[in-house]
Amino acid sequence: MPPQAAAPVPARSSAAHSSAGPTSPTSPTGPTGPTSPAAATATGLCKVYGRGETRTVALDSVSVEFGRGQFTAIMGPSGSGKSTLMHCMAGLDSVSAGSARIGDTELSALNDRQLTRLRRDSVGFVFQAFNLLPTLTASENITLPMDIAGRKPDRRWLDTVVSTVGLAGRLDHRPAQLSGGQQQRVAVARALASRPEIIFADEPTGNLDSGAGAEILAFLRYSVRELGQTVVMVTHDPTAAGYADRVVFLADGRLTDELDAPTPEGVLDRMRRFDAKARTS
Ligand code: ADP
């Protein structure tokens, strides 16, 4: 059975969806003209670390599109380039060759200040290690990126996000007073709060037990289906990938395969086939 557990449905979900703005999957054309139908695009993306004997080709000409309003999982064995791909696409790491775009924006064309602004305004992050500030309450952590940017949070949207991730009673708690699952919910709410073009999640359930992990994955999927969010998640877990709309597989820095409407069993089967192929080649 694919993990189809429903996330709690907030009362204003349809209003939130219809006001999803230019990131909505139903509005690929912005006020300044046609925009890319993809939320993020890699074209011939290469990333090389080190030189000489320590030279490592982490990404070897990867071309992939992450569709707007889609939940995509990136899978592959350890060292296959998953995190590097995510970091290059999120503007956290430079590329050696090729192109990484968020919407129509070519990341390599941006200077440091523009890149910082793009990450702040257009990208949301969820990390395995939650990365919350211990001295701030859950509520303060959620709005911190917007506070730093000097942006006023949209209260209605914030209420929707908070009720979606089920945090309403815990907004005044500090991270140490919350369980791991609750802390990751705060991190998901923080990522959703500014309605970024795209959310990158790096092993978001890696530090959680399976129950809390299932809740986080259901929230991420809910944010895609009902709130129009775009999510790209790195995972090595077939069950987690089963929540996505699509899985892309990496091996040795190359994109090797993809699977639409994945089930955990289908993902496992595909991974076993890669292993068998790797053993015979
Ligand atoms: P994955 O996320 O699939 O485990 P990574 O993207 O972390 O893989 O790593 C891909 C390859 O790049 C690995 O061989 C790794 O050792 C190498 N690598 C990653 N980051 C660095 C770095 N900062 N310096 C040197 N090599 C790196």
Side-chain angles (χ1 to χ4, degrees):
M1 247 285 278
Q4 297 293 336
V9 179
R12 284 196 293 275
S13 64
S14 57
H17 185 62
S18 65
S19 62
T23 59
S24 162
T26 54
S27 60
T29 305
T32 54
T35 57
S36 165
T41 311
T43 312
L45 188 57
C46 296
K47 178 68 187 179
V48 179
Y49 290 109
R51 50 173 58 183
E53 279 186 11
T54 62
R55 187 173 186 272
T56 304
V57 180
L59 294 176
D60 186 0
S61 200
V62 171
S63 296
V64 64
E65 288 194 347
F66 299 110
R68 273 179 214 279
Q70 261 207 338
F71 187 178
T72 307
I74 303 175
M75 291 200 77
S78 183
S80 59
K82 303 182 295 297
S83 299
T84 304
L85 178 60
M86 198 193 94
H87 291 162
C88 289
M89 296 309 296
L92 292 170
D93 206 346
S94 62
V95 311
S96 305
S99 151
R101 273 178 288 145
I102 299 280
D104 288 329
T105 304
E106 175 62 51
L107 301 189
S108 61
L110 303 182
N111 63 30
D112 281 352
R113 209 164 48 91
Q114 291 167 320
L115 206 51
T116 302
R117 193 182 307 144
L118 176 117
R119 279 198 301 262
R120 192 187 68 196
D121 295 342
S122 305
V123 183
F125 295 99
V126 181
F127 298 102
Q128 183 172 342
F130 317 143
N131 289 7
L132 303 178
L133 283 189
T135 54
L136 301 184
T137 64
S139 172
E140 290 164 344
N141 266 289
I142 292 169
T143 56
L144 182 67
M146 279 180 289
D147 292 341
I148 290 173
R151 277 167 62 187
K152 243 178 113 62
D154 172 344
R155 273 289 141 201
R156 247 185 79 159
W157 174 251
L158 221 50
D159 288 349
T160 301
V161 166
V162 164
S163 64
T164 300
V165 295
L167 283 166
R170 297 194 168 75
L171 288 176
D172 293 331
H173 289 47
R174 292 185 205 290
Q177 299 168 310
L178 299 170
S179 69
Q182 288 165 344
Q183 289 184 56
Q184 194 62 312
R185 286 196 225 173
V186 174
V188 171
R190 179 180 58 187
L192 284 166
S194 62
R195 297 191 192 195
E197 289 250 353
I198 188 164
I199 290 179
F200 289 102
D202 195 357
E203 299 276 6
T205 57
N207 280 346
L208 303 177
D209 62 51
S210 59
E215 273 179 19
I216 291 297
L217 291 161
F219 294 139
L220 287 173
R221 191 178 53 192
Y222 179 86
S223 76
V224 171
R225 300 244 169 109
E226 301 300 322
L227 309 179
Q229 187 60 60
T230 303
V231 176
V232 175
M233 170 178 74
V234 166
T235 183
H236 66 270
D237 175 7
T239 305
Y243 284 77
D245 298 313
R246 173 180 172 233
V247 184
V248 298
F249 294 91
L250 284 178
D252 295 329
R254 297 207 179 121
L255 203 73
T256 52
D257 204 353
E258 64 175 84
L259 192 61
D260 282 327
T263 60
E265 295 77 17
V267 173
L268 251 181
D269 184 51
R270 202 60 70 98
M271 288 164 74
R272 282 198 200 104
R273 272 194 264 164
F274 293 149
D275 284 348
K277 217 167 140 190
R279 275 198 297 275
T280 54
S281 61

